[in-house]
Amino acid sequence: MKQYNHSKIEKYWQKEWAKKKIYKTLSSQEARRKTLRRQGYAGRELKPFYVLDMFPYPSGAGLHVGHPRGYIGSDVCARMKRMQGYNVLHPMGYDAFGLPAEQYAIEHKVHPREAVKRNVATFEKQLSMIGLSYDWSRKINTSDPDYYKWTQWIFLKLHNHYYDEKLQKARSISELIKKFEKENKEWEKLSPLEKQDHLMKYRLAYEGEAEVNWCPGLGTVLANDEVKEGQDGHLISERGGFPVEKIKIKQWFLRITAYADRLLSGLEELKWSLHLKEIQKNWIGRSEGAEIEFKLVARSQPLGAIKVFTTRADTLFGATYLVLSPEHAIIPKLKIENIKEVENYINQAKHKTAEERTRVEKDPSTGSGQAKTGVELKGVKAINPGNGEEIPIWISDYVLADYGTGAIMAVPAHDERDFAFAKKYNLPIREVIVNYDIDGMGWAPKAGKKFSTYRGVSAVIFNKKNDTVLCLRWAPQGWGTFVTGKLDPNENNFKEVARREIYEETGYKNLKLIYEQKNPYFTTYYHDGKDENRFTEMHRLFFELMDEEKDEISDEEKSKHEIVWVARKDIQKFITASYDQEIVEKVINGTFMEKSCFACHGILVDSKQFTGMTSEEARKKITDFVGGQIVTKYKMRDAVFARQRYWGEPIPLWRDKEGIIHEVKKLPLKLPNVKSYEPTGKAEGPLAGVKSWVAKGYETNTMPGWAGSSWYYLRYMDPKNKKELAGKKEIEYWQQVDIYVGGTEHATGHLLYARFWNKFLHDLEITPTEEPFKELHNQGMIIASDGRRMSKRWGNVVNPDDIVKTYGADTLRVYEMFMGPFTDSIAWSTESIIGPRRFLEKVWRVAQRLQINTDKKLINTDKIGENQSRNQSKSVDFSVEKLLHKTIKKVTEDIEAMRFNTAISSMMIFVNALDAEHTRKDAQIDIGNWVLFLKLLAPFAPHIAEELYNEQLITNNKKSLRKSAASIHEQEWPKWNPKLIIDETVKIAVQVNGKVRAEIEILADINEGEVREIALANENIKKWVEDKEVKKFIYVKNKLVNIVI
RNA sequence: GCCCGGGUGGCGUAAUUGGUAGCCGCGAUCGACUUAAGAUCGAUUGCCGUAAGGCAUGCGAGUUCGAGUCUCGCCCCGGGCACCA
């Protein structure tokens, strides 16, 4: 018996595959021309499928065992898709510009270019051992001039485009200039420099001022991840611990905020994890609100105005003061009585670090909430445009300068922070929103009427059969309500009361409680019929009507109201009351919950003509009334597109002596060679030290690390194209990335920027789709067995080379896919890897035995891939074949869903069954079926599968087999036979009162009556049931029965 | 603080989405082979109990004939955001 020598076969086949170029991706033309000569696919055109890994940056650290996990996962997908007859694009390349390479270079005193070369070599050596099916001929490198030429090209496009808000699309800046020339007479009079400045406000790549982390101690500007917080809350450098200060310098920006809305709405169509979408959603942080102007007065004399941004314009009448950020531009222009105090405060704020400013402190007076500091601007007041009242103006650093308008209207009654602030400084609090009940006779309380209290239950009853809700129509007013009932003062059994009320008012008897709202719902309203204001406490319960059984209700009840089943969608029309659509929706869906101590949604009180309106309604109307504007704001800011570094793409612009910016005509603008790429001691990049460079007026900043990675997926489609970033035909053919695999750490960086660039390129009609990555999977981290990250620092790194050496690449691959769900982070265990290794050895052993027995009885196939119907040979065990087809189904579906761990588990089950068969009665599988199994194994363990496949063909010496035996990886993926995965008999559990008491075997799909007979005849069951009456008999088809006695 | 995920044997995990909890793998115990060890093969392996049976999916309730799965509250763990009006 031949031994399983993993090293030998892995090395052999890796060479063979490279020689035969079996992973070569076809161009769109080749694919169209070439019809597959493979069995089963003759005459059919290859469909494209794009599987992409996030490309690495060559940091020089070397791989640990966690790095390949994502690559293996995507490789499994790519391999299956290839076998399914797709033209698979599965490339690899390097994100070579940026900090990691530069840092390595500085540390090792080599040129970054050299550093990249070295690190790429190490990376490829390590990666090549794992047997990944990349088409290396498409390799790219972002620091290659042939590549960054196009990064620069895109930058220039961004520079000469602006965002047309109306068309929601990027347009050429020349269009905008034309528009200015036509519409604006002043335009002509502007100097070229002034024109340039004005256009900067529109360009998608523009120059502006931005803060950088300036570290005088190191004489360089630091990236955010090179900076950490010191013990006193001040910023210090990660390296050396020198103090870091924020200074503002001119830098290039990309106007990503123009695409904020599209970036947000685009998320919907993406098959990404909820988690990741959530992160991007938060990051974009869209909120819709209104900008409202507050006029200013000093001793009742008007003087200018302040604009505030609010999402709650409906609470305007509750705005009792304004708060400005300390940086607000209007402050120096005002005559303030306590100017000293104010300046002091502003100065303090300026010197606080971001951390100090945002530190959450407990309020000593209340023990909770946040104690904010602030100063009143004395001598100036604002006019509340709603009610005309004069209100004070404060400054406080809890208001951010760069969000909204840098000023807010404070509504302490309905906002927690405003509330805390008002409490601290004794500012007035006015409540303008009250809760209301949707099925109360909801009108705002009337002044002068007496208040009574009311405790009750409200029951929402669903009829799932026709999707209706039980409602009552009350005479004589015709009010529509849910079933309600009053509680006696000390009554607390809401369930019982609700059931009682339902019975009295409707007569229905059989109801199932679905949900009971935990907290009572307090509402205040005016009761028309009783002519009084009511303060109510309602307890809401949700029921499902089980059957129509009901008793007659009393005539008295009948005369009061009529029972109406209202279709769920019509509920809002039926229920009488002013209501909030959203709340009704939540109430009938049973997800309503109230938590806040402040009313958030309700009806307005104390708000003049808006009193009685719902919040939603009033929001628009009040905004209109005070001449405000509906606006949308985003948390996301424009992206700084410049680093004060050497190792990056030069910005392809130059400035003449007059300061006019010109585009570099001939791309690429190559990064000059420099002697020293180390920091210069100035807040500029090392390029500032290159005289010839500066003399030509070039930028001394370079592009950030994420520039090249924002479009690299397009370059793979056509990596050698000299004329375009990628050929039109190729982009049209591949469309977008079908499956993208990478870590979750790029959620707000790379993944957002790439989406932005793709949308921009889509506007330029370069990319056919809005989104670059249709489906995204985040592989989980592999952590060390000590629970920490693998790192040289902890000395807990497991090197993949060692694992490949002792266990083999196939074992490594199977183990990494088997250890747990692909997205979960899991601890590495070299102890457990023996499991997958034993599995592969078992496969090997089974194959060896199979060959011994093969001539005796097992061969019954001449063609691979066609032996999918039941084999006629009597010696073949059908149960094995059935199991195989179940396995085919499971593995195919699992790979599709990235559930690799369960796919492997099912293959283990299959091999275990086979192995048991072998030892007991001789081999019971024919060659054809065995090959089907090897194909399932091939994406996970490509080397052993290839070896056994070929060995099988040679041993059997079948000419037809050998002819087609190019490689198992080029064979057709197995299909399962639906007939073979159905069982004739099933074992079902028999429960008595929900406890399993017996297991019976029945023919599949027999009817309930038959099952009942068999179940009740069972000895065990008889013992439990005895002579008790069977109250209920539940049969879940082919699963279980439950006998209720 | 807010928003997402999670919590199942000694360990990594599985469970057709409301239907027999613990598949597969590791480890452990016993046995076979071996002079021996290892490898391999076989058996056992959630807990209590000789058994019948009982108890078990972070804790506590609820809905249901039936809950790991649904609802509510609480406790942990991981991640994201963190004065965004």
Side-chain angles (χ1 to χ4, degrees):
Chain A
M1 196 186 278
K2 257 171 73 183
Q3 288 300 307
Y4 171 38
N5 182 338
H6 62 261
S7 296
K8 206 170 126 195
I9 64 172
E10 284 172 5
K11 274 181 196 142
Y12 175 78
W13 285 112
Q14 281 170 14
K15 249 189 239 159
E16 276 304 290
W17 296 333
K19 222 195 296 175
K20 289 185 186 156
K21 296 195 171 118
I22 65 167
Y23 306 127
K24 180 123 175 62
T25 306
L26 303 178
S27 71
S28 66
Q29 275 214 328
E30 286 169 325
R32 234 159 254 150
R33 251 194 327 247
K34 185 174 178 178
T35 51
L36 260 192
R37 271 169 243 115
R38 279 178 226 164
Q39 274 180 333
Y41 289 93
R44 264 172 55 189
E45 192 184 293
L46 287 164
K47 276 189 267 162
F49 198 87
Y50 192 173
V51 185
L52 182 63
D53 289 305
M54 286 187 187
F55 64 167
Y57 45 83
S59 69
L63 296 186
H64 63 67
V65 109
H67 288 112
R69 186 160 182 222
Y71 303 149
I72 296 169
S74 62
D75 194 59
V76 170
C77 291
R79 284 176 182 277
M80 181 179 80
K81 285 290 167 188
R82 217 177 272 123
M83 290 173 81
Q84 284 175 336
Y86 288 88
N87 180 25
V88 173
L89 175 50
H90 187 46
M92 180 45 81
Y94 303 96
D95 190 12
F97 269 142
L99 275 179
E102 192 161 347
Q103 231 138 25
Y104 180 92
I106 291 171
E107 276 165 34
H108 293 79
K109 305 236 178 287
V110 291
H111 192 279
R113 205 182 315 280
E114 191 54 38
V116 166
K117 218 189 247 174
R118 276 193 206 172
N119 298 341
V120 162
T122 322
F123 181 85
E124 264 169 40
K125 193 177 147 257
Q126 284 193 292
L127 216 57
S128 66
M129 302 172 81
I130 297 167
L132 301 169
S133 64
Y134 296 120
D135 176 357
W136 285 103
S137 71
R138 291 184 182 238
K139 180 162 76 175
I140 59 169
N141 180 323
T142 56
S143 66
D144 181 346
D146 286 339
Y147 180 89
Y148 70 69
K149 174 183 177 178
W150 299 106
T151 312
Q152 293 174 331
W153 183 84
I154 296 170
F155 174 81
L156 289 184
K157 288 285 172 206
L158 284 159
H159 181 249
N160 61 36
H161 279 76
Y162 76 106
Y163 200 75
D164 188 317
E165 290 291 334
K166 251 189 217 146
L167 296 177
Q168 280 293 301
K169 202 181 161 182
R171 283 179 84 189
S172 170
I173 200 87
S174 57
E175 299 286 324
L176 190 67
I177 296 171
K178 266 187 224 157
K179 200 179 138 202
F180 287 155
E181 284 167 349
K182 217 162 116 192
E183 292 171 6
N184 196 339
K185 283 172 205 155
E186 300 297 307
W187 178 256
E188 280 302 306
K189 293 178 198 158
L190 295 178
S191 71
L193 213 54
E194 284 170 325
K195 279 184 185 169
Q196 175 170 299
D197 284 349
H198 193 68
L199 289 173
M200 272 300 171
K201 291 176 191 151
Y202 295 89
R203 294 182 189 274
L204 287 172
Y206 65 96
E207 206 175 28
E209 289 221 314
E211 271 187 353
V212 293
N213 304 304
W214 168 238
C215 179
L218 292 171
T220 183
V221 171
L222 297 173
N224 279 333
D225 49 336
E226 295 175 296
V227 172
K228 62 180 183 185
E229 204 175 279
Q231 281 170 343
D232 56 354
H234 290 278
L235 297 174
I236 56 168
S237 63
E238 177 88 39
R239 206 152 35 92
F242 298 103
V244 170
E245 48 188 86
K246 298 260 181 192
I247 59 165
K248 279 198 166 179
I249 60 169
K250 265 205 166 183
Q251 302 195 65
W252 285 93
F253 284 79
L254 296 191
R255 204 178 298 280
I256 189 172
T257 50
Y259 283 84
D261 223 14
R262 278 164 68 183
L263 287 168
L264 186 67
S265 60
L267 286 172
E268 269 169 48
E269 63 173 87
L270 296 177
K271 273 205 210 154
W272 292 16
S273 69
L274 281 177
H275 172 236
L276 215 86
K277 287 189 187 186
E278 194 66 30
I279 294 175
Q280 291 213 342
K281 230 185 245 177
N282 276 338
W283 186 263
I284 296 166
R286 182 195 148 100
S287 61
E288 231 171 82
E291 279 185 359
I292 294 172
E293 213 171 62
F294 282 64
K295 295 226 157 56
L296 300 182
V297 291
R299 294 196 193 79
S300 304
Q301 293 301 306
L303 81 163
I306 290 174
K307 231 182 218 175
V308 304
F309 174 71
T310 176
T311 55
R312 294 300 304 273
D314 49 313
T315 62
L316 179 67
F317 289 81
T320 49
Y321 60 101
L322 293 191
V323 190
L324 312 186
S325 72
E327 295 89 346
H328 200 282
I330 203 166
I331 297 169
K333 294 177 197 159
L334 298 175
K335 263 202 170 166
I336 301 162
E337 286 168 8
N338 55 338
I339 187 75
K340 276 259 156 70
E341 195 188 350
V342 169
E343 276 173 355
N344 259 340
Y345 184 79
I346 294 172
N347 263 328
Q348 267 177 33
K350 216 181 261 176
H351 290 285
K352 277 188 196 172
T353 63
E355 198 276 333
E356 282 172 319
R357 264 178 87 151
T358 57
R359 186 175 294 153
V360 177
E361 281 162 20
K362 293 265 179 196
D363 188 326
S365 59
T366 61
S368 69
Q370 297 148 340
K372 303 298 178 191
T373 58
V375 177
E376 188 182 354
L377 304 182
K378 287 191 178 138
V380 202
K381 298 264 178 195
I383 307 285
N384 183 327
N387 52 24
E389 272 173 31
E390 272 189 18
I391 57 173
I393 305 171
W394 286 65
I395 58 169
S396 170
D397 56 14
Y398 85 84
V399 175
L400 299 177
D402 57 353
Y403 184 76
T405 60
I408 61 157
M409 64 179 207
V411 185
H414 304 290
D415 180 279
E416 234 174 295
R417 279 161 306 155
D418 295 344
F419 182 79
F421 196 79
K423 279 270 180 204
K424 182 169 177 183
Y425 294 105
N426 242 333
L427 290 154
I429 298 167
R430 185 182 301 150
E431 203 174 349
V432 287
I433 307 275
V434 292
N435 258 330
Y436 62 96
D437 189 352
I438 63 154
D439 62 341
M441 289 76 207
W443 289 277
K446 275 193 183 171
K449 301 287 179 189
K450 72 161 188 163
F451 268 85
S452 70
T453 55
Y454 181 94
R455 280 176 85 227
V457 289
S458 162
V460 181
I461 301 151
F462 298 103
N463 188 344
K464 283 204 176 149
K465 279 188 194 119
N466 50 19
D467 205 28
T468 53
V469 179
L470 182 61
C471 297
L472 302 175
R473 192 189 299 286
W474 296 80
Q477 297 94 327
W479 294 330
T481 69
F482 295 123
V483 174
T484 58
K486 190 171 180 173
L487 285 165
D488 293 331
N490 292 318
E491 202 161 24
N492 281 314
N493 194 338
F494 310 120
K495 271 176 266 182
E496 212 169 86
V497 178
R499 283 180 194 273
R500 186 186 73 209
E501 290 293 337
I502 294 165
Y503 182 72
E504 279 175 15
E505 291 183 354
T506 69
Y508 284 111
K509 288 160 96 176
N510 296 322
L511 298 136
K512 179 170 141 183
L513 181 65
I514 322 173
Y515 172 61
E516 183 183 356
Q517 211 168 287
K518 179 91 183 176
N519 299 312
Y521 191 54
F522 297 100
T523 85
T524 317
Y525 64 92
Y526 171 71
H527 192 290
D528 202 15
K530 299 253 159 75
D531 191 31
E532 64 179 22
N533 290 321
R534 265 190 180 173
F535 185 73
T536 68
E537 174 193 329
M538 297 298 282
H539 296 261
R540 178 119 44 211
L541 297 98
F542 295 81
F543 292 91
E544 185 187 334
L545 187 74
M546 299 308 283
D547 56 54
E548 302 284 337
E549 194 185 338
K550 65 191 276 194
D551 289 338
E552 277 297 300
I553 53 170
S554 70
D555 288 345
E556 194 203 334
E557 287 286 346
K558 260 189 201 161
S559 66
K560 278 199 251 169
H561 56 71
E562 173 196 354
I563 297 168
V564 192
W565 284 96
V566 182
R568 210 152 124 153
K569 60 177 169 49
D570 296 327
I571 275 294
Q572 299 178 351
K573 281 181 228 153
F574 184 85
I575 300 293
T576 314
S578 48
Y579 54 76
D580 177 325
Q581 294 242 345
E582 205 181 313
I583 292 181
V584 176
E585 196 66 37
K586 282 184 178 166
V587 165
I588 60 176
N589 289 325
T591 54
F592 186 81
M593 227 176 64
E594 66 294 323
K595 262 186 191 165
S596 165
C597 46
F598 301 99
C600 287
H601 298 273
I603 51 172
L604 274 67
V605 293
D606 205 5
S607 300
K608 294 214 165 150
Q609 68 265 44
F610 303 100
T611 301
M613 278 185 195
T614 62
S615 307
E616 278 67 24
E617 196 186 355
R619 212 163 284 172
K620 288 186 204 90
K621 295 208 167 146
I622 290 182
T623 306
D624 284 347
F625 172 68
V626 298
Q629 260 158 4
I630 304 284
V631 289
T632 308
K633 299 279 180 195
Y634 300 92
K635 276 202 264 187
M636 185 171 65
R637 306 293 144 90
D638 282 341
V640 179
F641 197 66
R643 295 296 120 98
Q644 293 69 43
R645 298 281 176 165
Y646 168 69
W647 192 237
E649 300 87 344
I651 289 166
L653 298 171
W654 61 281
R655 207 178 293 252
D656 63 24
K657 280 176 192 132
E658 276 75 48
I660 301 294
I661 294 165
H662 303 274
E663 298 190 344
V664 172
K665 285 272 144 35
K666 195 164 175 295
L667 296 179
L669 172 60
K670 284 197 187 169
L671 186 63
N673 268 320
V674 294
K675 287 214 183 75
S676 167
Y677 37 81
E678 295 189 23
T680 55
K682 285 183 281 184
E684 289 176 304
L687 287 177
V690 182
K691 276 184 192 152
S692 59
W693 185 262
V694 178
K696 284 179 191 145
Y698 292 140
E699 292 284 333
T700 57
N701 287 343
T702 52
M703 296 188 195
W706 51 269
S709 62
S710 294
W711 71 281
Y712 76 110
Y713 55 94
L714 294 170
R715 190 63 180 173
Y716 283 132
M717 296 174 180
D718 193 7
K720 306 222 162 67
N721 197 315
K722 297 255 179 208
K723 290 181 188 144
E724 296 164 284
L725 58 87
K728 189 99 194 143
K729 273 186 190 163
E730 297 305 312
I731 302 180
E732 288 292 335
Y733 175 69
W734 295 105
Q735 291 274 317
Q736 65 186 139
V737 177
D738 292 290
I739 295 178
Y740 195 28
V741 176
T744 178
E745 69 272 16
H746 298 107
T748 54
H750 160 63
L751 285 170
L752 208 56
Y753 298 130
R755 292 182 61 220
F756 160 44
W757 282 33
N758 195 79
K759 281 171 194 293
F760 171 67
L761 294 172
H762 181 66
D763 286 352
L764 303 192
E765 290 172 3
I766 290 170
T767 55
T769 58
E770 272 264 320
E771 292 289 339
F773 316 120
K774 190 156 77 183
E775 195 175 322
L776 173 75
H777 296 272
N778 304 110
Q779 84 276 12
M781 261 194 317
I782 292 180
I783 46 181
S785 45
D786 59 6
R788 292 188 287 208
R789 272 167 182 268
M790 275 190 195
S791 152
K792 277 186 187 152
R793 191 151 120 223
W794 308 116
N796 55 10
V797 174
V798 180
N799 191 314
D801 303 14
D802 300 340
I803 302 295
V804 169
K805 212 173 276 167
T806 46
Y807 296 95
D810 284 335
T811 301
L812 176 72
R813 292 172 60 110
V814 172
Y815 177 56
E816 294 215 357
M817 293 299 96
F818 179 67
M819 51 197 311
F822 188 59
T823 37
D824 287 10
S825 286
I826 293 169
W828 176 265
S829 156
T830 303
E831 209 175 46
S832 295
I833 199 172
I834 193 69
R837 169 71 194 196
R838 281 181 193 146
F839 164 63
L840 292 181
E841 276 170 5
K842 205 178 272 186
V843 171
W844 184 268
R845 205 164 50 234
V846 168
Q848 303 308 313
R849 287 199 191 117
L850 197 65
Q851 280 168 40
I852 295 161
N853 293 328
T854 178
D855 292 329
K856 277 191 239 159
K857 49 164 90 169
L858 293 165
I859 310 160
N860 190 33
T861 176
D862 285 317
K863 284 181 187 169
I864 290 171
E866 288 186 8
N867 182 42
Q868 305 213 355
S869 59
R870 175 178 283 196
N871 200 300
Q872 295 305 304
S873 158
K874 283 240 166 103
S875 66
V876 171
D877 190 330
F878 297 144
S879 72
V880 168
E881 193 171 27
K882 281 173 87 89
L883 183 60
L884 173 65
H885 281 261
K886 282 180 190 168
T887 309
I888 294 171
K889 180 170 190 281
K890 178 93 177 121
V891 171
T892 308
E893 288 173 351
D894 279 354
I895 294 177
E896 208 80 53
M898 312 285 278
R899 289 188 302 252
F900 307 118
N901 54 333
T902 50
I904 292 168
S905 162
S906 70
M907 285 191 287
M908 286 174 169
I909 293 169
F910 177 74
V911 176
N912 285 348
L914 213 55
D915 195 36
E917 296 290 333
H918 276 298
T919 43
R920 278 180 203 143
K921 339 170 202 163
D922 263 346
Q924 294 287 314
I925 184 168
D926 64 57
I927 302 288
N929 278 339
W930 175 245
V931 167
L932 288 184
F933 168 75
L934 288 180
K935 287 178 179 179
L936 293 183
L937 184 65
F940 295 94
H943 310 88
I944 191 174
E946 183 81 301
E947 173 71 15
L948 295 177
Y949 175 76
N950 276 272
E951 202 171 64
Q952 221 42 265
L953 303 183
I954 292 157
T955 315
N956 287 291
N957 199 20
K958 293 280 168 187
K959 271 184 195 159
S960 57
L961 292 186
R962 288 183 99 171
K963 209 173 152 191
S964 64
S967 162
I968 191 169
H969 305 298
E970 292 181 308
Q971 303 307 308
E972 186 189 355
W973 186 254
K975 292 193 186 76
W976 68 89
N977 181 345
K979 281 181 201 149
L980 283 177
I981 59 174
I982 299 162
D983 292 313
E984 288 89 15
T985 62
V986 288
K987 279 182 183 158
I988 66 165
V990 184
Q991 299 181 330
V992 178
N993 284 346
K995 290 227 157 85
V996 181
R997 298 299 182 193
E999 193 178 63
I1000 55 174
E1001 188 162 7
I1002 56 164
L1003 287 167
D1005 301 331
I1006 57 171
N1007 64 43
E1008 188 176 326
E1010 292 175 81
V1011 177
R1012 184 176 181 135
E1013 222 166 275
I1014 300 166
L1016 289 172
N1018 183 289
E1019 285 305 316
N1020 258 329
I1021 299 304
K1022 271 189 193 161
K1023 204 171 78 193
W1024 284 96
V1025 176
E1026 290 175 325
D1027 50 358
K1028 289 182 197 113
E1029 181 204 356
V1030 176
K1031 284 193 194 134
K1032 225 172 192 178
F1033 186 87
I1034 291 147
Y1035 174 51
V1036 184
K1037 200 171 153 194
N1038 299 338
K1039 292 268 165 58
L1040 59 64
V1041 298
N1042 189 8
I1043 299 161
V1044 186
I1045 53 172

